Amino acid sequence: MSELTPEERELVWQVKTWFTCTEMEALVQTAVQFADANCAIFEPELGEHKLVYTQLHNDFKQLFEDRLNSFLASIGATPEAFYVAFQKAGHEGEVQTMAELMYTCLEYEFFCQIMCERKRELEAQHAAGLLPETPAPGICGYAGHKDGYSGPGAPAAP
């Protein structure tokens, strides 16, 4: 693989700085809000995965891709240029750490685990009386659909 150009190195550094220093807290907030709005549909006790889990995972990944793409556009870069540079820089110290963190956050099994954990947390809060008897829209799947899924492509609520 060819070596990073100075422009590619700068692009990777800008994204790393944005991701780790500027955007991390907002990304965590987005993830929590997404989990709160959609976690009720997860049923780990079934021992199998529903198709809607994949749909939710794709919606979740799209949230992060959209934020990254918006940032790239704001600095005049394309996603394609970033991915080429990112791949070239992938094994350099801090970039490797960022790549591993991004991958872990977007990996399907990790996503399902987080959604199930959030569901248990909200159920415990509800049982302890810390949440209202009927949660507000958007809290743990009460965003419209009877099964809790409220993202794009969800069937209309009855």
Side-chain angles (χ1 to χ4, degrees), residues 21-60:
C21 300
T22 306
E23 192 66 12
M24 187 62 76
E25 183 62 32
L27 291 170
V28 168
Q29 290 287 338
T30 298
V32 169
Q33 290 168 353
F34 186 90
D36 286 355
N38 296 290
C39 66
I41 199 161
F42 283 79
E43 299 176 278
E45 64 278 1
L46 293 179
E48 60 184 44
H49 292 246
K50 297 178 180 180
L51 178 58
V52 72
Y53 298 0
T54 300
Q55 294 166 330
L56 283 169
H57 181 241
N58 289 336
D59 292 347
F60 180 74

Side-chain angles (χ1 to χ4, degrees), residues 51-122:
L51 178 58
V52 72
Y53 298 0
T54 300
Q55 294 166 330
L56 283 169
H57 181 241
N58 289 336
D59 292 347
F60 180 74
K61 290 188 308 185
Q62 192 63 51
L63 288 172
F64 290 94
E65 259 186 60
D66 290 348
R67 289 181 88 118
L68 173 60
N69 291 345
S70 292
F71 173 73
L72 291 169
S74 78
I75 61 171
T78 65
E80 295 79 15
F82 169 67
Y83 291 127
V84 167
F86 193 57
Q87 188 172 26
K88 287 181 183 179
H91 296 292
E92 296 182 5
E94 292 179 21
V95 175
Q96 176 75 24
T97 301
M98 180 180 72
E100 289 170 1
L101 179 60
M102 288 175 137
Y103 176 77
T104 299
C105 291
L106 298 177
E107 198 268 327
Y108 178 77
E109 290 299 327
F110 181 75
F111 167 78
C112 290
Q113 177 184 342
I114 294 300
M115 294 297 279
C116 292
E117 286 176 12
R118 187 63 181 156
K119 179 180 180 179
R120 284 190 293 273
E121 288 171 6
L122 291 174

Side-chain angles (χ1 to χ4, degrees), residues 35-41 138-150:
D36 286 355
N38 296 290
C39 66
I41 199 161
I139 301 297
C140 202
Y142 297 93
H145 187 261
K146 69 179 181 64
D147 291 329
Y149 176 58
S150 60

